């Protein structure tokens, strides 16, 4: 369990269309084997420390004739943002994917002070 040591907690969320490879014959639709896409996501405001980030697929369009293999994760989580990572492999054909994310963590509060 992650404990947030702050009385000010921020929640940020968003949605990202990762790709639409069916339209342009992109690698996720036409390729085979291991494929990966990385997309930088910036938070609306920075957190006081790296937040907990949850990611999920909110829309996917796949070829029903092949296995549907998907790995979605958050990587390089920092105070200002993170990297959304989408992976597939083998003969999976992925036409489109949209991912939603939510970040929860400590934020600065006007009453905060520090001794420098």
């Amino acid at each position: 369990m992650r404990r947030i040591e702050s009385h000010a907690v921020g929640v940020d969320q968003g949605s990202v269309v990762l790709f639409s490879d069916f339209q342009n014959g992109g690698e996720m639709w036409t390729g085979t084997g291991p494929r990966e896409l990385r997309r930088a996501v910036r938070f609306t405001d920075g957190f006081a420390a790296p937040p907990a980030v949850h990611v999920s697929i909110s829309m996917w369009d796949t070829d029903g004739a092949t296995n549907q293999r998907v790995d979605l994760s958050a990587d390089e989580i920092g105070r200002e943002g993170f990297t959304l990572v989408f992976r597939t492999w083998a003969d999976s054909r992925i036409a489109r994917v949209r991912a939603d994310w939510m970040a929860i963590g400590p934020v600065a509060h006007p009453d905060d002070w520090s001794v420098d």
Side-chain angles (χ1 to χ4, degrees), residues 30-115:
T30 61
T32 59
R35 288 157 282 157
E36 177 180 284
L37 179 127
R38 301 175 74 82
R39 177 74 54 89
V41 174
R42 304 271 307 164
F43 299 131
T44 304
D45 293 313
F47 286 88
V53 175
H54 171 78
V55 295
S56 64
I57 293 176
S58 55
M59 183 276 298
W60 70 337
D61 182 4
T62 65
D63 182 354
T66 62
N67 287 320
Q68 300 166 0
R69 300 173 185 93
V70 170
D71 177 13
L72 182 69
S73 61
D75 192 18
E76 302 171 330
I77 300 169
R79 296 174 0 149
E80 302 298 322
F82 69 100
T83 302
L84 193 53
V85 182
F86 177 89
R87 294 182 181 100
T88 192
W89 57 95
D91 64 346
S92 296
R93 290 169 38 106
I94 316 294
R96 292 181 294 187
V97 169
R98 182 179 64 232
D100 288 356
W101 58 269
M102 179 183 293
I104 302 172
V107 294
H109 188 275
D111 292 339
D112 289 346
W113 56 276
S114 65
V115 177

